[in-house]
C-alpha cells in the first residue's frame, strides 16, 4: 500500500481548514479555506489572522476568546454561530456571513499546544432561512444555538413562512448592511420578473434600482432604524428578464429588523404593486380630460353656429329654424359617433341620415363602405346639411321633378371622393355675396380637411365634387376631436 | 371700428365653425387676420412665412396632434402667443404655461381681454 499523503488529503477536504500557530499566524490552509476567503496561501502564510481579517466587534472578541480557551485548556472549542464578514472581492467589498467554527489543538511531544486547527462551516444560508422564518414576529437572538434550533424553528414557522410565501402582498427580508436578500415571497419574485434574488445584495440582484434612491433609503433604515413608508412610489423596475425597466407604482414599507439586543440586523420589506390601479386612475383622468375637451369644443361649435346663423339671417324666425336645423345635424352626427365609441362612422350612414328627411323618389345615394374618423364626420355632417338645405331652398329639391344623386368612392390615391349632383331643378346661379353655406363648404373641404372642392353652378343644377385626402378622413387609433 | 384697429393676428384653428367665430370676433375688434392655418403642416409653414404679426391665437389640439411645433417658431420670432384650448391652462405642458391661455368656448369679451396685454406689449 502506498504511503498516505496527508497533506494532499488536507488540501482536498471539502470544508475549509486552516492551521494557526500560537501567535495566531497562518501556518497552512486548505483549498476550500482559501477559496472561501478569496486568498492565496502565499497571501496569508505567516500573517496574523486578525491583522488579515480585522474584527474589533463582538464576533472578533468571541473568536479570540475561543482560541484563548484552546490554548489554555488544550481542549477543542466550538463556536456554533459566528457572524463574520469577509471580503467578497479583491476590491475589499465586505459581505456578512455566518459560520460554525470548531477549534482543535494540535499538541507537541510535551503535551502543550503548538497549533490550533480551525474548521469552519459556512452556515449563512441556514442563518438566513432562520432569520426569514422568524421575521417579523420574533427577534433574532445573538446567542441562538443555531444548528440545534434551525430545524425546530423551521418546523414551527413553516406555516408562517408559507403564508408569507404565498401572500398577495409582497415581502422580502434583507440582511446586513449590504441588504442581502434572505427571503422573497412569490409575489415579490413576480414583481422583479422572476429573477433569483436570494443570496444577492439588492444592488446586485436589481441593478436597475441603483440611482433611484431606494438603496440609500435602505441604508438609512439599517443605520438609523427608522421606518420608511411610501405610497404610490414610482420605481423603474425590470418586470421581465431581459426587458428594459418598466414604470411601476408601489406602496411599500421598510422596517428595521432587530435582534434581542436591539441591534439592527436587516430590513423587512413589504408592499403592494399598485401599478394597475395607478394606471387605471391615469386612464380615467385622460378620459375625463378628453370628455371635457370634447364638451368644450362642441360648445364652441354650437356657439359659432348660433353666432353665424344670427349674422347671416336677418329674419328672427328664419334664423331660429336654421339654427335648430344645424344643431340637429350636429347632434345626429354626435349620436352616430357615440354609437361607435367616438371612433368613426360610415360615410354612407352619414349621407343617408342627412338626406333621409327629404323626398325618397328624388334622391339616390351610392358608394362603397368607407369609414371616416370622428373629426371628418362632424365636418362632413355640417357640410352635407348646408348642401341639402340649399337644394331644398334653391336647388333640385325645391321642385317635385328635381333629382339629387350623391355618390362616393375611394380613388387610387385613397382619396375620399364625393360627387353631389343636382338635376331637374332651377338653374344654379353663383351667389352675388358669399353666404354662410358656401363659405363653410369651401373652408371645410380645402381648409379643415385639406382637400379640393370643385363647385359648379350649371343650368342643370348645382354640382360639387369633393376630394378629401386619406390623412384627413381615415380612422386613427385614437381620435381626439 | 374696433378696439385693436389694424393689428395683425395669426390664427391656427382646426375646426371650421370655431374659426369662423374667431374670425368674426377679430373682425369686430378691428384686427386683420394675416394668416390662418387649420392643419399642423400648414401652421408650421405659415408660421415661418407670414410677415409681420402682432399676436398669434393658437388652438392647442389640432387634428389629434398639438400646435407646439408652430408655436415654437412663432415664439422664437418674438410673437406674443395666446393659446386656445378646451383643457384650460392645465392642458398646457409646463414649458408653455407662461403664455396667455383662453378657455374654449370663448366669448368676444374673453378674446378682447386676453389680447389686450399681448397687443399692449407689442406696442400700440
Amino acid at each position: 500500500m502506498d504511503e498516505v499523503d496527508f497533506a494532499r488529503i488536507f488540501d482536498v477536504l471539502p470544508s475549509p481548514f486552516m492551521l494557526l500557530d500560537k501567535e495566531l499566524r497562518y501556518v497552512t490552509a486548505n483549498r476550500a479555506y482559501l477559496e472561501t476567503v478569496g486568498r492565496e496561501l502565499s497571501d496569508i502564510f505567516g500573517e496574523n489572522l486578525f491583522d488579515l481579517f480585522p474584527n474589533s466587534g463582538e464576533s472578533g472578541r468571541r473568536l479570540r476568546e475561543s482560541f484563548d480557551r484552546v490554548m489554555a485548556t488544550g481542549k477543542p472549542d466550538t463556536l456554533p454561530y459566528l457572524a463574520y464578514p469577509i471580503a467578497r472581492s479583491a476590491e475589499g467589498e465586505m459581505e456578512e456571513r455566518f459560520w460554525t467554527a470548531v477549534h482543535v489543538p494540535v499538541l507537541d511531544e510535551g503535551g502543550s499546544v503548538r497549533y490550533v486547527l480551525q474548521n469552519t462551516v459556512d452556515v449563512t444560508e441556514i442563518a438566513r432561512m432562520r432569520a426569514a422564518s422568524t421575521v417579523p414576529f420574533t427577534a433574532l437572538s445573538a446567542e441562538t444555538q443555531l444548528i440545534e434550533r434551525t430545524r425546530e424553528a423551521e418546523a414551527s414557522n413553516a406555516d408562517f413562512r408559507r403564508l408569507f410565501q404565498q401572500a398577495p402582498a409582497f415581502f422580502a427580508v434583507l440582511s446586513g448592511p449590504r441588504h442581502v436578500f434572505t427571503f422573497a415571497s412569490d409575489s415579490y419574485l413576480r414583481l422583479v420578473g422572476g429573477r433569483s434574488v436570494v443570496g444577492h445584495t439588492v444592488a446586485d440582484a436589481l441593478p436597475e434600482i441603483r440611482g433611484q434612491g431606494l438603496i440609500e433609503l435602505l441604508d438609512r433604515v439599517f443605520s438609523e432604524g427608522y421606518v420608511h413608508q411610501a405610497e404610490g412610489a414610482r420605481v423603474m423596475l425590470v418586470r421581465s428578464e431581459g426587458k428594459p425597466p418598466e414604470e411601476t407604482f408601489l406602496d411599500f414599507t421598510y422596517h428595521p429588523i432587530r435582534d434581542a439586543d436591539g441591534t439592527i440586523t436587516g430590513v423587512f420589506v413589504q408592499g403592494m404593486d399598485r401599478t394597475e390601479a395607478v394606471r387605471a386612475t391615469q386612464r380615467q383622468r385622460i378620459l375625463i380630460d378628453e370628455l371635457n375637451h370634447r364638451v368644450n369644443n362642441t360648445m364652441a361649435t354650437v356657439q359659432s353656429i348660433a353666432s353665424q346663423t344670427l349674422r347671416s339671417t336677418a329674419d328672427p324666425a328664419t334664423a331660429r329654424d336654421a339654427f335648430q336645423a344645424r344643431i340637429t345635424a350636429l347632434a345626429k352626427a354626435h349620436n352616430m359617433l357615440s354609437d361607435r365609441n367616438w371612433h368613426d362612422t360610415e360615410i354612407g350612414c352619414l349621407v343617408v341620415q342627412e338626406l333621409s328627411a327629404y323626398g325618397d323618389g328624388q334622391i339616390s345615394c351610392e358608394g362603397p363602405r368607407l369609414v371616416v374618423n370622428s373629426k371628418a364626420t362632424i365636418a362632413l355632417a355640417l357640410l352635407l346639411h348646408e348642401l341639402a338645405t340649399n337644394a331644398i331652398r334653391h336647388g333640385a329639391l325645391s321642385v317635385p321633378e328635381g333629382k339629387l344623386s350623391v355618390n362616393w368612392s375611394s380613388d387610387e390615391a385613397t382619396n375620399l371622393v364625393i360627387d353631389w349632383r343636382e338635376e331637374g331643378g332651377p338653374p344654379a346661379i353663383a351667389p352675388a355675396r358669399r353666404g354662410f353655406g358656401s363659405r363653410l363648404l369651401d373652408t371645410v373641404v380645402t381648409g379643415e380637411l385639406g382637400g379640393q372642392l370643385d363647385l359648379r353652378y350649371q343650368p342643370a343644377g348645382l354640382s360639387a365634387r369633393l376630394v378629401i385626402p386619406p390623412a384627413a378622413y381615415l380612422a386613427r387609433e385614437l381620435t381626439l376631436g | 371700428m374696433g378696439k385693436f384697429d389694424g393689428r395683425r393676428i395669426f390664427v391656427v384653428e382646426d375646426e371650421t365653425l370655431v374659426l369662423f367665430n374667431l374670425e368674426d370676433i377679430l373682425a369686430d375688434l378691428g384686427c386683420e387676420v394675416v394668416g390662418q392655418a387649420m392643419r399642423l403642416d400648414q401652421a408650421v409653414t405659415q408660421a415661418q412665412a407670414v410677415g409681420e404679426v402682432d399676436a398669434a391665437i393658437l388652438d392647442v389640439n389640432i387634428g389629434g396632434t398639438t400646435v407646439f411645433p408652430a408655436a415654437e417658431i412663432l415664439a422664437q420670432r418674438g410673437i406674443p402667443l395666446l393659446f386656445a384650448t378646451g383643457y384650460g391652462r392645465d392642458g398646457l405642458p409646463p414649458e408653455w404655461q407662461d403664455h396667455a391661455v383662453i378657455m374654449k368656448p370663448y366669448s368676444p369679451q374673453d378674446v378682447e381681454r386676453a389680447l389686450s396685454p399681448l397687443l399692449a406689449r407689442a406696442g400700440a
Side-chain angles (χ1 to χ4, degrees), chain A residues 156-230:
Chain A
S156 69
N157 285 291
D159 287 342
F160 265 137
R161 201 176 154 77
R162 212 170 11 255
L163 270 179
F164 277 101
Q165 193 72 53
Q166 296 168 358
F170 62 74
F171 298 94
V173 178
L174 308 174
S175 170
R178 291 178 47 82
H179 320 300
V180 175
F181 281 100
T182 58
F183 174 85
S185 66
D186 292 349
S187 53
Y188 191 90
L189 295 179
R190 276 196 296 277
L191 179 73
V192 298
R195 285 174 283 178
S196 63
V197 297
V198 171
H200 301 284
T201 65
V202 170
D204 286 349
L206 313 172
E208 73 274 17
I209 74 158
R210 294 181 201 182
Q212 296 194 49
L214 294 171
I215 294 173
E216 293 74 8
L217 277 172
L218 287 170
D219 288 343
R220 270 194 67 196
V221 174
F222 188 83
S223 61
E224 297 170 25
Y226 102 115
V227 175
H228 182 77
Q229 286 187 298

Side-chain angles (χ1 to χ4, degrees), chain B residues 2-119:
Chain B
K3 183 173 173 181
F4 304 133
D5 270 354
R7 308 311 297 273
R8 290 151 306 196
I9 311 292
F10 179 71
V11 172
V12 179
E13 169 56 61
D14 74 334
E15 285 196 45
T16 300
L17 280 164
V18 180
L19 176 68
F20 285 1
N21 194 41
L22 182 56
E23 284 176 342
D24 291 343
I25 290 172
L26 290 173
D28 289 348
L29 288 168
C31 295
E32 185 193 346
V33 175
V34 290
Q36 70 176 47
M38 302 188 74
R39 301 183 313 277
L40 182 61
D41 54 343
Q42 240 184 359
V44 167
T45 314
Q46 291 212 25
Q48 287 160 333
V50 71
E52 273 192 68
V53 175
D54 295 312
I57 303 178
L58 308 176
D59 178 25
V60 172
N61 191 320
I62 42 175
T65 151
T66 57
V67 77
F68 301 120
E72 197 85 55
I73 295 163
L74 295 162
Q76 283 195 352
R77 293 183 54 184
I79 296 165
L81 307 181
L82 171 59
F83 288 108
T85 162
Y87 295 110
R89 188 173 295 279
D90 291 343
L92 283 181
E95 64 269 32
W96 292 104
Q97 288 199 354
D98 290 346
H99 292 271
V101 180
I102 192 168
M103 178 86 175
K104 280 180 168 182
Y106 41 73
S107 68
Q109 292 72 33
D110 293 334
V111 176
E112 185 186 326
R113 255 195 303 274
L115 272 182
S116 271
L118 302 191
L119 294 177

Side-chain angles (χ1 to χ4, degrees), chain A residues 136-434:
Chain A
F137 302 99
T138 52
L140 280 180
S141 157
E143 298 301 319
T144 304
Q145 295 297 302
L146 178 87
I147 307 294
E148 292 78 10
R149 290 193 50 189
T150 299
R151 290 172 69 147
E152 164 206 326
E154 285 217 309
S156 69
N157 285 291
D159 287 342
F160 265 137
R161 201 176 154 77
R162 212 170 11 255
L163 270 179
F164 277 101
Q165 193 72 53
Q166 296 168 358
F170 62 74
F171 298 94
V173 178
L174 308 174
S175 170
R178 291 178 47 82
H179 320 300
V180 175
F181 281 100
T182 58
F183 174 85
S185 66
D186 292 349
S187 53
Y188 191 90
L189 295 179
R190 276 196 296 277
L191 179 73
V192 298
R195 285 174 283 178
S196 63
V197 297
V198 171
H200 301 284
T201 65
V202 170
D204 286 349
L206 313 172
E208 73 274 17
I209 74 158
R210 294 181 201 182
Q212 296 194 49
L214 294 171
I215 294 173
E216 293 74 8
L217 277 172
L218 287 170
D219 288 343
R220 270 194 67 196
V221 174
F222 188 83
S223 61
E224 297 170 25
Y226 102 115
V227 175
H228 182 77
Q229 286 187 298
E231 267 181 43
R234 181 178 173 277
V235 180
M236 296 304 290
L237 208 55
V238 172
R239 306 296 302 268
S240 336
E241 244 184 315
K243 296 269 175 63
E246 293 170 39
E247 185 175 56
T248 305
F249 294 93
L250 304 175
D251 290 352
F252 67 88
T253 58
Y254 290 155
H255 270 271
I257 302 169
R258 295 172 191 276
D259 66 13
D261 303 333
T263 308
I264 297 171
T265 59
V267 179
F268 181 64
V269 178
Q270 61 172 322
M272 289 284 278
D273 181 358
R274 307 281 304 160
T275 309
E276 274 314 303
V278 170
R279 292 227 180 103
T281 309
Q282 286 174 341
R283 276 195 293 272
Q284 194 175 28
R285 186 69 243 166
I286 289 169
L287 283 177
I288 290 170
D289 283 351
E290 183 54 26
L291 178 65
N292 269 331
H293 176 240
R294 279 193 179 140
V295 167
N296 285 329
N297 256 14
T298 304
M299 294 298 243
T301 307
V302 170
Q303 179 195 41
S304 179
I305 290 173
S307 140
Q308 294 299 316
T309 306
L310 291 170
R311 274 173 190 264
S312 61
T313 317
D315 172 43
T318 314
R320 188 195 62 206
D321 291 348
F323 175 70
Q324 282 187 349
R326 283 169 180 153
I327 296 298
T328 304
L330 181 67
K332 281 181 180 169
H334 276 216
N335 282 338
M336 289 178 68
L337 282 172
S338 85
D339 286 346
R340 297 178 58 138
N341 283 325
W342 273 85
H343 277 295
D344 51 50
T345 54
E346 275 181 52
I347 181 71
C349 302
L350 203 57
V351 172
V352 169
Q353 174 166 271
E354 186 50 43
L355 300 178
S356 61
Y358 314 113
D360 288 348
Q362 291 183 274
I363 301 171
S364 72
C365 310
E366 209 181 309
R369 187 179 175 278
L370 282 174
V371 171
V372 295
N373 66 35
S374 62
K375 185 164 161 43
T377 295
I378 299 290
L380 289 173
L382 291 167
L383 177 154
L384 289 166
H385 173 75
E386 293 307 316
L387 281 170
T389 307
N390 185 69
I392 287 160
R393 289 175 62 203
H394 312 292
L397 301 181
S398 68
V399 293
E401 61 277 20
K403 302 272 187 226
L404 165 65
S405 69
V406 183
N407 298 310
W408 61 90
S409 59
S410 168
D411 70 9
E412 64 284 352
T414 335
N415 293 311
L416 168 62
V417 181
I418 302 175
D419 272 309
W420 177 285
R421 189 175 304 275
E422 296 178 33
E423 279 172 328
I429 300 157
R433 192 181 61 86
R434 200 162 84 129

Side-chain angles (χ1 to χ4, degrees), chain A residues 42-93:
Chain A
S42 57
D43 295 337
I44 62 173
F45 180 76
E47 296 287 337
N48 181 285
L49 167 68
F50 290 101
D51 288 346
L52 219 50
F53 301 109
N55 190 324
S56 54
E58 164 83 357
S59 296
R61 185 181 59 76
R62 289 175 58 214
L63 193 59
R64 208 180 274 276
E65 284 171 355
S66 174
F67 288 130
D68 289 347
R69 280 194 295 275
V70 175
M71 307 281 188
T73 63
K75 293 198 171 122
D77 191 74
T78 299
L79 291 171
Y81 177 57
L82 184 72
Y84 210 93
I86 57 166
R88 55 199 290 279
S89 70
E91 287 82 58
E93 281 183 289

